[in-house]
Amino acid sequence: MSRILLGLVMLGCTVAVEDVQAFDDPITRLVNEKAGERCSGRVEVRHGHQWGTVCQHGWDLEDAAVVCRELDCGAVLDIPGGARFGRAGGEVLWRNVKCSGDEFALDLCERTLNYDVCTHSEDAGVECTGKLLAPTLLIQSRFYTYSAGEAVHFKCTAPYWQSVIDFHLYKRGVDTPLVTQRADPRQMTVDLTLSDLEISHQGSYSCLYRIHTKLGNSPSGFSPHSNFINITVLEIHTPQIWYNTSPEARPGWVTRGHSFNVTCSTQPQYPGGSFQLRLIRPNGTVRHSLPALAPSVTFTFSSAQSNNEGYYCCLYKVQTGERTFISRESQPLPISIREVDPVMSPVFISLLVSSLTFVVATCAILIVAKVYCKRASKPTELERESRTCVDNTYIALTIK
């Protein structure tokens, strides 16, 4: 105020002391004979150094809401006659007050001077809720991290009973409540459950309550937001599994003594995650574990032996605080350990090729020899014509 006065003086303005005091001091108050009732009473306004009342002619809920806001008294509960709060002194100063409900002080509203039209029996009164205190939000578990599909249970508590109608659970950044719970009469605490959690539910949450006011769903009937609680939601997917080994091995087989790899993969990844590989054998289960430093992790087995035979399954595990989240197991991957297949042995193939070559060469030689022998034993034309038949016996004659 001193800065404003200094500025006015520097501009050459004359400011009356009475006007300065009127600007500094409150011009609206609620007067009640009951001690401690600051937010309910007969409406009085100050004109200069004189306090007077306001006539209830034209007095409505919008006017009363401005008084409650100006005095930081919350929302309107009722507008009873001022006579209810005791006998008034002074004059009736204003009448026909007309507020839109958005003003932050009563003297900003339209009104007319009374001029002895109203009497104190027609004084206006207001009952406000009082300054609404923020509720308290608690989480009904020791954990703040959940997996998708779970439910988180909050508890919202109003600081005192005050005609609470309902409670609302809000996520920071979202204008509409995610959960609304109607309160029973005189109920101060309700449970607010957020079910079927999804990744989009991750964030900070607060609650507020709404009280019954004459203005219905007016924003002035809502309390401030409570403290905020942050929750984390994990979406754990079933990992995929596959294996790699020497190319000559049949599907599902690994050659004894050869190396093979089993790979586990999943998305998304979270801090503290790890992959576990489980080998199910007839005589027991073997587990291997590696930190999930990447979306895929490979388990390497340098020399396949009989104890590596069985069904392999992958799962993804996340450790956060006091909670452990484990995915479903992947589809089982059967792996059989087999000896070197003699059919596929390089030595056997070499011997087979050599044998076939020998057989083919031998057959070729025999065929050539047979053809040659046939040609050597065939008689000449002269010998065939010189033969005579004696008693069905051919005798070859020598021609000289």
Side-chain angles (χ1 to χ4, degrees), residues 58-341:
W59 187 256
D60 59 19
L61 292 169
E62 282 73 20
D63 307 328
V66 173
V67 173
C68 294
R69 183 181 302 115
E70 180 181 358
L71 299 178
D72 196 18
C73 284
V76 180
L77 283 176
D78 201 359
I79 49 173
R84 170 179 168 181
F85 302 102
R87 183 177 179 80
E91 300 179 5
V92 180
L93 297 178
W94 293 353
R95 66 183 176 89
N96 295 328
V97 176
K98 185 177 181 181
C99 301
S100 66
D102 297 326
E103 296 85 354
F104 60 85
L106 192 63
D107 69 330
L108 298 178
C109 302
E110 297 180 10
R111 75 271 184 181
T112 59
L113 297 178
N114 182 42
Y115 295 120
D116 297 328
V117 175
C118 296
T119 65
H120 282 305
S121 63
E122 300 171 295
D123 288 341
V126 175
E127 285 187 3
C128 305
T129 61
K131 184 177 181 180
L132 296 179
L133 301 179
T136 301
L137 184 66
L138 298 175
I139 194 168
Q140 299 186 53
S141 71
R142 297 177 294 124
F143 313 115
Y144 296 89
T145 303
Y146 298 84
S147 62
E150 289 186 320
V152 55
H153 302 279
F154 295 99
K155 186 183 291 291
C156 186
T157 302
Y160 47 82
W161 177 83
Q162 202 171 40
S163 302
V164 176
I165 297 176
D166 44 34
F167 291 81
H168 305 270
L169 180 69
Y170 283 84
K171 181 186 176 186
R172 190 194 294 271
V174 179
D175 295 332
T176 56
L178 274 66
V179 180
T180 295
Q181 179 65 50
R182 191 165 184 84
D184 295 331
R186 305 192 70 84
Q187 185 177 9
M188 296 174 58
T189 301
V190 297
D191 294 331
L192 301 172
T193 301
L194 190 60
S195 303
D196 263 339
L197 289 176
E198 300 177 357
I199 292 297
S200 59
H201 288 135
Q202 179 168 299
S204 296
Y205 288 83
S206 67
C207 71
L208 56 78
Y209 59 90
R210 180 169 65 97
I211 65 171
H212 175 75
T213 68
K214 293 292 185 178
L215 290 178
N217 288 326
S218 168
S220 60
F222 289 89
S223 74
H225 280 267
S226 70
N227 55 300
F228 281 88
I229 293 179
N230 186 71
I231 66 169
T232 302
V233 181
L234 307 182
E235 190 171 25
I236 308 294
H237 293 290
T238 302
Q240 296 179 331
I241 185 172
W242 65 88
Y243 85 106
N244 296 302
T245 187
S246 53
E248 65 269 13
R250 296 181 182 182
W253 285 18
V254 175
T255 304
R256 183 184 300 277
H258 288 204
S259 65
F260 69 99
N261 300 321
V262 178
T263 301
C264 300
S265 178
T266 191
Q267 285 279 19
Q269 298 285 303
Y270 297 100
S274 64
F275 283 104
Q276 294 197 357
L277 181 66
R278 192 161 72 102
L279 169 59
I280 305 173
R281 304 182 305 186
N283 59 346
T285 300
V286 179
R287 290 178 173 84
H288 305 272
S289 180
L290 286 175
L293 303 179
S296 298
V297 168
T298 299
F299 295 83
T300 301
F301 301 88
S302 58
S303 179
Q305 301 299 327
S306 298
N307 58 0
N308 297 127
E309 188 173 66
Y311 291 88
Y312 288 82
C313 297
C314 283
L315 57 84
Y316 180 62
K317 178 180 178 182
V318 179
Q319 183 76 40
T320 59
E322 299 181 9
R323 296 199 71 182
T324 301
F325 300 91
I326 301 177
S327 71
R328 294 181 178 178
E329 284 192 336
S330 65
Q331 290 291 328
L333 174 67
I335 292 181
S336 298
I337 307 300
R338 292 290 184 266
E339 300 292 342
V340 177
D341 194 340

